[in-house]
Amino acid sequence: MTNKKNLNLHETTSPPKMKIVKEFRDENTKEVGFKFVDYYISEDKTLFQAHLHYDQLYTVRSAELSPYALGLLEGKIMGTKCPKCGDVFFPPRVNCWNLDCKLTKTEWIELPQTGKVHTYTIAGWSGRSSLKRLPFVLAYVILDGVTTAVANEIREINPWNAEFNMLVKVKFVPKEQRVGAITDFYFVPADDWKPSPMNPEKERIKKLCEPVYKWVASLK
Amino acid sequence: MTETRKVCIIGGNTTPFDYNNYHMTIEGMAANVMLETMDDLPEFNLRDIDFVIYSHFSVHFGKQLCPEWIIHDHLGLVGVPHFRVENGGNTGGSALYAAYSIVKSGIADVVPVIGWETMDNVSQSQGAEFIAIAADTRYELLVGGIYPIFYAAGALKWMKENKFKEEDFALIGMKNRNNAMDNPKAQWYRNEHKYLTVDDVMNSRLIAYPLKKYDCCLMSRGLAIVLVCSEEYAKKVAKDSGYITIDGAGLSSCTIRAGDRTSFPGWNERYGKGYPDLTEFAACRNAAERCFKQAGIPWKDSYKYIDVAEIHDAFSSSEAQIYKALGWADENNIAEFVRNRETFMGGSIPTNPGGGLMGYGHPVGATGLMSTVEVFYQLTGKIPEKHLSKKSEVPDARVGLVNSHAGTGTSISNFILRTAEGGR
C-alpha cells in the first residue's frame, strides 16, 4: 500500500459524526418526487403537454474545503497559499495550480477584507434566484495580496457609480443569517470612497437601469 | 504527427430552431433531420453508420439521463456504438472533434454527430440558471451570476482596452439577426421576424452593461446533424452532391472561473504574464493556432485565408473578442475592423451568414453543429437551396471556419473546412 504520509493527501475525519447545528428550511422546501401538476390540449385537439414538478435536496459536502465555509460563519475570509510558489487563492484551491509545484497542498490563511475592483458589470437581468435583487453590480474583485479575482456583488452604491480599480471592503450579512456560502458576504465601497461626477456613460447606465427598477417593483 | 487519412463532411441539416412554438420530441426531431439528410444524399444508407456521437449539454432541461439512448433506438441503430459528449457551449464542437478523431484514427468510417437541446422546457430565467450551473456553483452562480453577467463583466473591461463603443457591439448584434432574415429555419426569422438597426439594439432592455437584449443569443429548442466520414466513403456517396474536408481541428481549455485568469501559470508560460485576463479568450487563440497550423494558415490575419466563418456569437461582445483570438485584428485595429463591416456579407470575411446564435438560435448541443452545417452549405453551393435567396451566400466560398465556445471561454474548438476537389 502507498505511504500516505509522503503523498500528503487530503484527509478529513472518517467516519465523520455530522450534527445538525442550524435548520432554516421553510414550508416551501419539499421533496415530493415526480409529480404532474396540470395538462394542456391544443384547441385543435392534436397536441398534449403537461408540467412536471421535481424538487430535490442536495447534500453539499464542503469536506476539505470546510475551513472556507466555517470561516464565513465566523466572519472570516479564508483563502489558501502555496508554500512553494507563494500564489494565494480565493476562491480557495486546495492544491497549487502551478505544474512545477506538482499539486502541492496549499495552506489555509485568513485574508484581508479589502480589495480592488478588477472589472464589473451592472446586471439588469438574471437567473430566477436573483431577479428581485436587480439591478445590481457584479464585480470581480482582487482581495489584497491574492493572485485571483472573485465574483461578488457590490452593494450600498448606485449601480452607475461603480468603476474600475475602485477600493472595496468585505461586509458580512448578520451572523444569524449566514449559511456558510459565498453569499454570506458582499462588497461595499471602501470608507473614504466617493463617486466620481456624473458623465455621459454613467447617465446612459442610469437610464438603462430605470425600467429595471420599475420591472422589479412589478414582480410578485 | 504521421500522415493519416482525410476526414470529410458529406451532409447535415437542422430542425427549425424555435422557443415554445415548435412541438417536437427529440426522437421526432432526429428522424426529421435524418430524413432531410438522406434526401440530400440518396446513396447514403443508415446501414452504413458504424458509430454515432451524440451532442447534448444539459439533462436538466429534459429530466432524462442518457436521452441519446431514446434517439438511438428510435433511429433503429441497435448494435452501433455510441456515446454522448457534453462540454458546455462547446458541446457541438467537441462532439465534432470526437467524430473527427474516430474517423481519422480509422476506428469507424461513417459517423453522424447528432446534437440537440430543448431549452423551452423551462422558463427563460430558469433556463439561464440551468446553464449557469456550468459556472462554479459554489462561488459564481450563488452571487447572482448567469452567463450574460459574467460575459458583460469581461466585455466592459475589454471595451475600454480596445477603444470599443457600445454601438460597435450593437453593429454585430444587428448583423447576425439581419442575416437570419434570409434563413427560414432561423429562430429570429420564425419568431420576431424583423430587420434591426443599431438603434434598435441600443434601445433594447438592459441585460448586463454593456449588453442589451439584442446583444445576446436566443434560447432555443432544436436539433442538428452533421455527417462525418472517411474520404473513401465521401467519394462513394457524395461525388454528385459535394463534400468538404476537415483540414484543421483545434480544441483547447481555459479556467472554469474567469477570475482565475489573472495569472494562470500555464498561460503565463505560453503567452506572457497576465494574458488572457478576464478579457481575452486564450483557449480560442490556442485552439486556432493548432487548427490553422494543420491547415497551413497563419494565425495573424488568418481572415485573409478564409472565405466564410460561423462563430459562437453567444454575445455581440464575444463575437468581437473571438475575432481577436482568431488573429483577425489586435487592440489597435479591432474597432476599425468592426466599423468597416469586414464581417458583414460582402466584407472580407462574412461571419455568421446563417444568423449565428443571435439569429439562428442556440440550442446548446446543436449549436456547433448548426455552425458546421451552415459552413457545409456555403462550401458546397447549397445556400440558394437551403436559405431563401443568394443574399446570404458567400460566392464561390472554398475555405470555411467553424468556432464553438463554452463557459466564459472555458473550452473552445476551431475547425478549418475546405471544399473537396471536385466537391462543388
Side-chain angles (χ1 to χ4, degrees), chain A residues 104-117:
Chain A
T104 295
K105 201 193 273 189
T106 55
E107 293 162 354
W108 288 97
I109 54 168
E110 186 178 349
L111 297 175
Q113 301 197 0
T114 50
K116 197 155 119 177
V117 171

Side-chain angles (χ1 to χ4, degrees), chain A residues 121 123 125-126 134 136 138 140, chain B residues 144-154 207-208:
Chain A
T121 182
W125 193 65
S126 190
L134 295 170
F136 59 81
L138 198 282
Y140 281 91
Chain B
I146 52 169
Y147 279 107
I149 299 178
F150 307 139
Y151 270 91
I207 299 297

Side-chain angles (χ1 to χ4, degrees), chain B residues 6 16 38 41 46 64 66 76 78 94 101 125 170 189 192 197 209-210 226 265 292 313 337 339 396 404:
Chain B
K6 270 194 192 306
M38 288 158 74
L41 278 167
L46 287 173
Q64 170 72 56
C66 296
V78 287
S94 306
S101 307
S125 60
Y189 175 87
E192 284 85 347
T197 63
Y209 190 75
V226 170
F292 294 165
D313 57 323
F337 185 82
R339 285 168 208 162
D396 203 34
S404 182

Side-chain angles (χ1 to χ4, degrees), chain A residues 52-83:
Chain A
L52 172 70
H53 180 263
Y54 186 68
D55 264 7
Q56 180 62 49
L57 288 178
Y58 290 87
T59 303
V60 181
R61 295 183 208 282
S62 291
E64 76 284 356
L65 280 166
S66 294
Y68 156 77
L70 294 168
L72 292 173
L73 292 178
E74 296 304 317
K76 292 178 184 168
I77 301 288
M78 298 300 292
T80 57
K81 180 177 184 171
C82 174

Side-chain angles (χ1 to χ4, degrees), chain A residues 163-181:
Chain A
E163 56 193 44
F164 289 100
N165 297 317
M166 70 180 280
L167 300 179
V168 292
K169 62 176 187 180
V170 169
K171 189 165 174 179
F172 277 86
V173 302
K175 194 163 186 179
E176 62 278 10
Q177 291 172 21
R178 293 177 204 158
V179 299

